Amino acid sequence: MLRSIPVLLAAALLAACSPASEPFAAGGPVILTVYGDVSDTNRGPVEPGLEPLFERYGMDFAAARSFTFSGLSAMEQTEISVTYPDGGEPQRFTGPLVRDVLTAAGAEGETAIVSAFDGYQRQIPGARFEDHDVILALTRNGEPLAIGGFGPAILVWPRDDDAALAGQNDDDWVWGVFAIEIASE
Ligand SMILES: Nc1nc2c(c(=O)[nH]1)N[C@H]1C(S)=C(S)[C@@H](COP(=O)(O)O)O[C@H]1N2
Ligand SMILES: [Mo]
């Protein structure tokens, strides 16, 4: 009986090292996939029959950069206190700068097409993310964003602090973000 403990330990250690456990070691499920004109990829093509949401929206790629919640949380976080929705109460959002996420993916295109679960899409020039400290927010008021709410991530713009964004409406505040395509035009 006692002799089985080292065996179990060895099995557990082996399991911890096996490829099947890597997604957990890497921080749980992927919440964001950046595809299109990206050079720093970490996954291959869309898998037919296994990635129905990509297929539903006609998202096709040979390679892409995927990010887990933990991976995005481990990047430098920026906090933005801002009213959202427009005219609402101030909220405190945190997350990585969008430009840092795009840089991590090796994004080389001009435009980011940001897609949400519900099919809502916004085409945003990459320069907007250079000119403004926009974040891919993962938390609101200290709580991780939930799916069903704004989660897994929402684009948050510092419109109350960045004079050039004053009066911006909510159109580019995409919630439920799960994919970003980098395109040349
Ligand atoms: N995923 C997603 N994000 C979105 C929208 C949407 O329909 N889907 N609508 C945008 C607009 S136009 C506004 S005014 C705000 C609030 O829209 P909502 O009431 O549909 O959340 O979210 C913005 N972000
Ligand atoms: Mo809107």
Side-chain angles (χ1 to χ4, degrees), residues 6 9 21 46 65 72 85 93 103 105 116 129 131 145 147 150 174:
L9 261 176
S21 69
V46 174
R65 175 59 180 249
L72 291 168
F93 292 96
T103 297
F129 302 123
D131 295 345
L145 298 175
I147 291 165
F150 298 142
V174 187

Side-chain angles (χ1 to χ4, degrees), residues 5-183:
I5 289 170
V7 173
L8 283 176
L9 261 176
L13 282 172
L14 270 177
C17 298
S18 75
S21 69
E22 270 174 26
F24 298 98
V30 167
I31 64 163
L32 175 73
T33 302
V34 183
Y35 67 101
D37 203 350
V38 294
S39 58
D40 226 327
T41 59
N42 63 353
R43 60 153 293 165
V46 174
E47 292 193 74
L50 297 177
E51 299 190 300
L53 200 56
F54 290 146
E55 295 183 86
R56 179 67 55 92
Y57 289 128
M59 295 171 174
D60 199 19
F61 48 79
R65 175 59 180 249
S66 63
F67 294 90
T68 61
F69 178 88
S70 300
L72 291 168
S73 303
M75 295 174 66
E76 185 182 345
Q77 305 291 291
T78 294
E79 181 175 307
I80 298 180
S81 288
V82 63
T83 51
Y84 178 80
D86 196 11
E89 291 294 307
Q91 323 237 19
R92 188 167 48 85
F93 292 96
T94 67
L97 291 166
V98 173
R99 62 173 169 269
D100 288 351
V101 175
L102 299 186
T103 297
E108 277 145 26
E110 309 266 297
T111 303
I113 303 160
V114 181
S115 292
F117 287 143
D118 61 337
Y120 188 77
Q121 258 186 352
R122 296 293 294 175
Q123 185 163 330
I124 301 172
R128 299 278 288 156
F129 302 123
E130 299 296 334
D131 295 345
H132 307 289
D133 293 337
V134 189
I135 64 171
L136 185 71
L138 305 172
T139 76
R140 185 182 70 95
N141 300 335
E143 296 291 332
L145 298 175
I147 291 165
F150 298 142
I154 178 176
L155 283 194
V156 168
W157 300 72
R159 64 178 164 202
D160 293 352
D161 303 316
D162 180 335
L165 293 175
Q168 181 202 37
N169 68 19
D170 292 341
D171 290 2
D172 285 340
W173 291 60
V174 187
W175 47 259
V177 173
F178 75 99
I180 300 177
E181 180 182 1
I182 305 301

